[in-house]
Amino acid sequence: MSGWVKIVGLGPGNEGFVTPDVRDVIATATDIVGYIPYVARIAPREGLRLHATDNRVEIDRAAHALEMAAEGRRVAVVSSGDPGVFAMASAVFEAMEDRADWQTLPVSVLPGITAMLAAAARAGAPLGHDFAAINLSDNLKPFALVEKRIRLAAQADFAMAFYNPRSKSRPHQFERVLEILRDECEPARLIIFARAVSTSDENIICVPLSEATPEMADMRTVVIVGNSATRRVGPHIYTPRRA
Amino acid sequence: MSGWVKIVGLGPGNEGFVTPDVRDVIATATDIVGYIPYVARIAPREGLRLHATDNRVEIDRAAHALEMAAEGRRVAVVSSGDPGVFAMASAVFEAMEDRADWQTLPVSVLPGITAMLAAAARAGAPLGHDFAAINLSDNLKPFALVEKRIRLAAQADFAMAFYNPRSKSRPHQFERVLEILRDECEPARLIIFARAVSTSDENIICVPLSEATPEMADMRTVVIVGNSATRRVGPHIYTPRRA
């Protein structure tokens, strides 16, 4: 029996966003590995083992998946959104670094609907032109690098999507992010706070930068900042193609 | 009968990437509007009208969709990839600008798997950390703005994804893009050329920047440039989470 690891994206919450290819992987897996709330989205069935682990143990979880595949198990690593965007795919490849035998296992990635694109679709098309995606968490990188990237992205007039904008352990940094944006952008710049997009808790608000406050973001929010041309038309927010 | 416009993403080609929500829209639409090769992906059925148009008429196509919705038709505007990423969603909102009556129509966007994320998944996880998405076409914006954005994105050490890198009408600009990258990045920087991703014509190559040539890109290619930490592990290419 030959094992594999397939790293799959479940999308942001709505089951209607899960692709048929991802469903097929889940149907043929012997083991599901992932963060507790994502594993909770998988329907139990006979013979399927569920391995749900807490946050911040991504490398251990990845190593466990590879270890099981080496033993012949068919392992689906589940991420919310797209596994290649601030999610489990990079962690699995990192875990592979020190083990040459793991590097020859069949490991593949299946894309999913990532949160920023689900949020953008609900708002209209704020990422309809050039944009940057930035993870605001400084768990794994210095916050100075986050600040530098936001400043240069604003100077390039990219629209921006921020993942992990604010958490209980990092309540103050998002205030700093808003300060940088106020330095670089005009007060009328549109900013969208999309919380729990595509779930029953979904809440999407759009305000000018001058009215944005840190409390509008939490760990379930993706934040989209328009570029200088992003505008409203009727109830929609979009970025024109010529900007 | 009340009409609507739903702007949906068909993903980059593989039918297994089309979400159930998008399938539902296609199943309930009375009219399909889009660029010829995308409309060709929709199975004909009785009562379904297919309106396939050529490239570069996005605004006319969008206006036609809104006009039919105003007459009570249920119109699916189909894009390849995600409609909100360099695709039809922004064009529909632009077409709405001059017609207040169109701004109150039920218009919504349903996300899809965009080409850069399908390409990234096939390569490993090169967009696994902060990145920028840039449309290299200067049909609608000056090429100087493209150049500026690439330069600033490189200085911010973003990974980058380029859409529409090269076409028959713009054969020389991609050479200029490679020059800018060579100014700003080290020769070993990894660059991925992903052509026709997820179709039977798929071809993905990865070379160091020093070996990249303009001919590696065409209009069916999405180009991914790693950041300074992007690396190979076994057959995979990924960007670590701490970079």
Side-chain angles (χ1 to χ4, degrees):
Chain A
M1 186 165 89
S2 62
W4 46 250
V5 172
K6 298 188 185 182
I7 312 159
V8 304
L10 299 178
N14 169 11
E15 298 303 319
F17 285 173
V18 182
T19 70
D21 276 12
V22 167
R23 288 268 174 237
D24 286 350
V25 168
I26 291 166
T28 54
T30 57
D31 296 79
I32 306 284
V33 168
Y35 178 40
I36 297 161
Y38 310 148
V39 174
R41 289 177 55 188
I42 306 300
R45 60 179 156 76
E46 189 153 337
L48 181 68
R49 304 193 306 193
L50 303 177
H51 309 270
T53 45
D54 205 352
N55 216 344
R56 298 213 183 187
V57 295
E58 287 83 1
I59 290 291
D60 299 341
R61 186 191 294 150
H64 184 215
L66 291 162
E67 201 169 68
M68 288 192 288
E71 291 163 3
R73 311 285 303 176
R74 300 188 299 275
V75 184
V77 175
V78 294
S79 271
S80 141
D82 182 294
V85 179
F86 311 126
M88 279 302 293
S90 283
V92 171
F93 296 121
E94 277 173 52
M96 228 181 245
E97 288 274 3
D98 301 324
R99 291 282 301 263
D101 56 326
W102 286 354
Q103 294 170 21
T104 56
L105 289 171
V107 173
S108 58
V109 181
L110 276 81
I113 302 294
T114 187
M116 67 178 168
L117 296 183
R122 293 291 282 160
L127 302 178
H129 203 60
D130 303 338
F131 67 93
I134 307 176
N135 185 347
L136 298 193
S137 168
D138 65 348
N139 286 345
L140 296 171
K141 68 183 168 188
F143 196 71
L145 182 57
V146 176
E147 294 192 14
K148 179 184 171 185
R149 285 181 175 157
I150 293 169
R151 209 173 277 282
L152 286 167
Q155 288 166 10
D157 202 16
F158 282 120
M160 290 176 241
F162 299 145
Y163 284 71
N164 303 313
R166 192 159 172 264
S167 73
K168 280 179 193 150
S169 60
R170 298 180 290 108
H172 302 302
Q173 288 167 349
F174 192 65
E175 198 163 354
R176 179 75 193 121
V177 168
L178 291 176
E179 276 171 29
I180 295 167
L181 292 173
R182 287 183 182 124
D183 273 1
E184 301 287 342
C185 310
E186 68 291 352
R189 182 67 61 100
L190 293 177
I191 177 164
I192 298 162
F193 294 87
R195 185 168 188 278
V197 66
S198 92
T199 75
S200 57
D201 298 329
E202 178 177 290
N203 185 33
I204 296 178
I205 60 168
C206 178
V207 295
L209 179 55
S210 57
E211 292 172 22
T213 64
E215 295 68 35
M216 291 175 178
D218 70 4
M219 62 187 293
R220 296 185 70 193
T221 308
V222 61
V223 178
I224 296 177
V225 182
N227 78 6
S228 62
T230 303
R231 47 190 283 121
R232 295 178 189 268
V233 61
H236 315 287
I237 298 140
Y238 83 103
T239 301
R241 299 167 305 149
R242 54 188 77 236
Chain B
M1 187 165 89
S2 62
W4 44 250
V5 171
K6 298 188 184 182
I7 313 158
V8 304
L10 299 177
N14 169 12
E15 297 302 319
F17 286 172
V18 183
T19 70
D21 276 11
V22 167
R23 288 268 174 239
D24 286 350
V25 168
I26 291 166
T28 53
T30 56
D31 295 79
I32 306 285
V33 169
Y35 178 40
I36 297 160
Y38 310 147
V39 173
R41 290 178 54 189
I42 306 300
R45 60 177 156 77
E46 188 155 337
L48 181 68
R49 304 194 305 192
L50 303 177
H51 310 269
T53 44
D54 205 352
N55 216 344
R56 300 211 182 189
V57 295
E58 287 84 1
I59 290 291
D60 298 342
R61 187 192 293 151
H64 183 215
L66 291 161
E67 200 169 71
M68 288 191 289
E71 290 162 3
R73 311 286 303 175
R74 299 188 297 276
V75 184
V77 175
V78 295
S79 271
S80 143
D82 182 294
V85 178
F86 310 126
M88 278 303 293
S90 283
V92 172
F93 296 121
E94 277 174 54
M96 226 180 247
E97 287 275 2
D98 300 326
R99 289 281 301 263
D101 55 327
W102 286 354
Q103 294 170 18
T104 56
L105 288 169
V107 173
S108 58
V109 181
L110 275 81
I113 303 294
T114 186
M116 69 178 166
L117 297 183
R122 293 291 283 161
L127 301 178
H129 203 60
D130 303 337
F131 67 93
I134 306 177
N135 185 349
L136 299 193
S137 166
D138 65 346
N139 285 345
L140 296 171
K141 68 182 167 187
F143 196 69
L145 181 59
V146 176
E147 293 193 14
K148 179 184 172 187
R149 285 181 175 157
I150 293 170
R151 209 172 276 283
L152 287 167
Q155 289 166 7
D157 202 17
F158 282 119
M160 290 176 241
F162 298 147
Y163 284 71
N164 304 312
R166 193 160 171 263
S167 73
K168 281 178 194 151
S169 59
R170 298 180 290 110
H172 302 301
Q173 288 168 349
F174 192 64
E175 199 163 352
R176 178 75 193 122
V177 168
L178 290 176
E179 277 172 27
I180 295 169
L181 291 173
R182 286 183 183 123
D183 274 1
E184 301 286 343
C185 309
E186 67 292 349
R189 181 68 62 99
L190 293 176
I191 178 164
I192 299 161
F193 294 87
R195 185 170 188 278
V197 67
S198 94
T199 75
S200 57
D201 298 329
E202 179 178 287
N203 185 33
I204 297 179
I205 61 169
C206 179
V207 295
L209 179 55
S210 57
E211 294 172 22
T213 64
E215 295 69 33
M216 292 175 177
D218 70 3
M219 63 187 292
R220 295 184 70 192
T221 307
V222 61
V223 178
I224 295 177
V225 182
N227 77 7
S228 62
T230 303
R231 46 189 286 120
R232 293 178 190 270
V233 60
H236 315 287
I237 298 140
Y238 82 103
T239 300
R241 299 166 305 149
R242 52 188 77 235

